[in-house]
Amino acid sequence: MARRLGRPAALLLAAALLAAGGSAPAQAGAERAGRTDPSATELTVVWPDDAAVPRGARVTVSGTVSGGPREVVLQHRSRQRGWETLRALTSDQDGAWSLAVPTTWFTTHTLRVRAPETVSHDEGAAATNGRLAVEPGYDPLGLAASFTLSGYRWNPCQVIAYRVRGRRLPSGALPEVKRALRLVAQATGLRFRYRGTSRQVPWRDDEAADVRRADLLIGWATEREVPTLRGNVAGVGGVTRGVWSQVPGQLLITDGMVALDVDARAAAGFGAGWTRGELLLHEIGHAVGLGHFFADTAQIMAYATRDRDRFGAGDLAGLRMVGRSAGCLTEPDGGLARSAVLRPAPQV
Ligand SMILES: [Zn+2]
């Protein structure tokens, strides 16, 4: 914009642009449904102009609801669990409301804004739908079909606490672990929280009782400590404990682990060549539910890829399937105690 506008003028202009854009305010409720109930909710929604935004962009959806203050919710249609609420708020006295659309992970949201159907009861709702793509900001290599799933995934609606084995941790490796998890979080919508170091050795059963545990354990080890790392195996990752979930055929991860060989010759950091960063992305990929995809070496989840330090198109598509866009995943009724515990084999 060439000319600087005063703040109120700029706001008015922004409102006018939104109203004039392709996403004109949608009307729902009494008028559209042809109802005569004077208490029926009228909901107007102004969707963002952009169909696609970069990750982290500030995007809001706003509008008005009749009979305010009223509760208004923003929902997304998850792949496995149907409509799920992302945000909720109470409109102001005049019925105005504004909700931030989450843009922290790569996905194409199918969104819906909803308000109770009438002032007097909450059955049904007035609602309008929209879409928003959150894009990675680079052109991922390979094909979006190049992934496999293990059938296990975390509950993306809970924070995953992770620890890093303190012993044998290479110099400079902790920031690499954090960066790798940040990249996985951006691709999945999973949230990871660092809880400090642990004395626990990944993939070893004979642990002392006093080790500090976490949902996800990442650490370096010798081949003697973790025999799976023998030979040319540089890392092993996966699910150490899972249970059946409420989604048929979908297994809920309760514990995951990653072990990396202290003697692997991967270079420090991320970037060109074979790096610890790439190794971490691959093994964490297993620990969040991805299998291998041998045929497309542009993917981090190809068995023996080289020179890759960010996820390919297939990796990203698979990671979306195990993340927040798939929907929350919960234990069966009765919880862990009544559910069989599953211990799948680790993947290298
Ligand atoms: Zn692997």
Side-chain angles (χ1 to χ4, degrees):
M1 200 176 301
R3 204 162 59 87
R4 254 182 99 98
L5 295 170
R7 191 177 163 76
L11 282 175
L12 278 173
L13 180 62
L17 284 173
L18 279 171
S23 51
Q27 277 250 303
E31 278 174 47
R32 199 177 61 172
R35 293 191 197 95
T36 52
D37 181 353
S39 69
T41 301
E42 280 181 44
L43 177 69
T44 59
V45 180
V46 179
W47 293 99
D49 273 353
D50 297 320
V53 296
R55 202 196 61 80
R58 278 193 58 173
V59 177
T60 56
V61 53
S62 60
T64 58
V65 61
S66 60
R70 303 284 300 281
E71 195 194 36
V72 178
V73 299
L74 174 66
Q75 299 179 316
H76 75 135
R77 191 165 62 213
S78 70
R79 188 178 295 272
Q80 292 177 346
R81 304 301 299 269
W83 291 105
E84 285 183 337
T85 296
L86 294 168
R87 307 253 191 266
L89 59 51
T90 303
S91 73
D92 70 16
Q93 206 67 37
D94 301 325
W97 55 268
S98 172
L99 289 156
V101 180
T103 59
T104 52
W105 76 96
F106 311 142
T107 190
T108 298
H109 286 301
T110 297
L111 298 165
R112 173 167 88 171
V113 173
R114 214 164 184 262
E117 190 174 35
T118 70
V119 174
S120 52
H121 71 103
D122 284 357
E123 297 294 315
T128 81
N129 292 26
R131 281 172 82 80
L132 182 76
V134 181
E135 297 184 327
Y138 65 93
D139 283 331
L141 298 173
L143 301 174
S146 300
F147 68 89
T148 61
L149 304 175
S150 71
Y152 286 83
R153 66 182 182 92
W154 295 88
N155 177 7
C157 301
Q158 273 181 356
V159 173
I160 300 164
Y162 73 95
R163 289 186 183 276
V164 175
R165 185 189 183 197
R167 194 150 180 243
R168 304 200 193 282
L169 180 65
S171 165
L174 185 57
E176 294 167 6
V177 171
K178 292 182 175 179
R179 179 168 167 188
L181 285 170
R182 210 155 50 234
L183 292 173
V184 173
Q186 291 172 1
T188 55
L190 295 176
R191 289 166 296 158
F192 300 96
R193 185 172 300 146
Y194 181 52
R195 302 298 293 270
T197 57
S198 174
R199 284 167 43 206
Q200 191 175 3
V201 183
W203 297 106
R204 221 168 63 173
D205 293 332
D206 56 340
E207 297 295 348
D210 63 340
V211 293
R212 287 180 292 184
R213 294 181 187 282
D215 304 325
L216 174 63
L217 175 70
I218 297 173
W220 276 258
T222 63
E223 297 184 357
R224 199 187 171 89
E225 288 170 328
V226 179
T228 319
L229 293 171
R230 279 182 192 149
N232 62 359
V233 175
V236 52
V239 178
T240 42
R241 195 163 171 276
V243 294
W244 291 97
S245 76
Q246 286 188 327
V247 178
Q250 194 75 71
L251 303 163
L252 173 64
I253 303 171
T254 63
D255 294 89
M257 286 187 190
V258 166
L260 300 171
D261 192 332
V262 285
D263 295 320
R265 299 192 189 283
F270 291 73
W274 187 41
T275 62
R276 287 199 304 239
E278 182 200 334
L279 202 49
L280 279 163
L281 290 177
H282 182 98
E283 303 306 341
I284 295 169
H286 286 315
V288 299
L290 295 190
H292 289 127
F293 194 89
F294 301 99
D296 184 348
T297 54
Q299 308 310 312
I300 291 285
M301 297 315 292
Y303 182 65
T305 181
R306 295 286 185 273
D307 303 331
R308 305 273 179 253
D309 67 343
R310 57 190 184 185
F311 290 116
D315 297 323
L316 290 178
L319 289 166
R320 250 195 317 279
M321 303 273 286
V322 299
R324 186 69 184 83
S325 296
C328 302
L329 198 64
T330 45
E331 294 164 21
D333 292 331
L336 285 176
R338 284 179 46 194
S339 178
V341 172
L342 309 157
R343 297 183 189 280
Q347 291 185 280
V348 299

